[in-house]
Amino acid sequence: MKTWILMLLALAMPVVAMAEEGGEKEDPNKVSYVALAPPLVGNYALDGSPKLHVYKADVALRVTGADAQKLVKTNEPLIRNQLVALFTQQTVDSMSNVDAKEKLRQEALKQTQEVLTQETGKPVVEDLLFNNFIAQ
């Protein structure tokens, strides 16, 4: 009989441990990445040339804490609008080489932080990453 009780207790321990883990508070300094989905897609270099130039950008924003993540999600339409406007203004040269894309990434981060500062009073986003960036 004692063996049976010990086996029952041994099986119940992982369930109790999992229930306790769910009750823990989330770390306020936890870094997370918020992906802007779906990817940003549009035209650029609208200089009147007959050739159509298209971009596709998978963007992720690095934030710290659940509050920052929530602020980014709340303001995502405004962030997307700002980034689409920025990408549309680019030239073929600014979308074609690595150095130019890095400058574009930094400008996208700066504009995202400015827009969030206007809306929330703080920049919220620490970094902006291109998970995938295609320009044709």
Side-chain angles (χ1 to χ4, degrees):
M1 176 93 170
K2 287 183 182 182
T3 308
W4 183 77
I5 293 173
L6 289 174
M7 284 179 37
L8 184 59
L9 285 173
L11 292 173
M13 292 303 285
V15 174
V16 172
M18 287 176 18
E20 289 175 356
E21 287 176 5
E24 290 180 19
K25 283 190 171 185
E26 189 172 315
D27 182 9
N29 297 322
K30 180 181 178 191
V31 174
S32 59
Y33 293 87
V34 179
L36 301 182
L40 303 169
V41 178
N43 299 329
Y44 70 98
L46 305 174
D47 57 2
S49 69
K51 185 168 179 168
L52 183 64
H53 300 281
V54 181
Y55 71 88
K56 177 184 174 192
D58 286 318
V59 177
L61 305 173
R62 187 178 78 202
V63 297
T64 299
D67 291 340
Q69 195 173 13
K70 191 179 222 182
L71 288 172
V72 167
K73 284 293 187 186
T74 301
N75 291 289
E76 184 175 345
L78 187 57
I79 295 167
R80 292 177 68 83
N81 180 65
Q82 191 69 29
L83 293 176
V84 166
L86 174 65
F87 294 151
T88 301
Q89 297 171 6
Q90 300 309 303
T91 65
V92 173
D93 292 337
S94 68
M95 297 284 248
S96 61
N97 68 51
V98 176
D99 292 333
K101 285 181 183 178
E102 176 58 21
K103 286 180 185 173
L104 177 61
R105 185 192 71 77
Q106 290 173 359
E107 181 61 26
L109 172 61
K110 179 182 161 198
Q111 288 192 19
T112 300
Q113 289 174 330
E114 286 175 0
V115 120
L116 284 168
T117 300
Q118 290 172 0
E119 291 298 310
T120 67
K122 51 188 171 185
V124 182
V125 174
E126 297 163 3
D127 203 1
L128 181 143
L129 306 169
F130 292 141
N131 290 334
N132 190 8
F133 192 90
I134 300 169
Q136 295 181 340

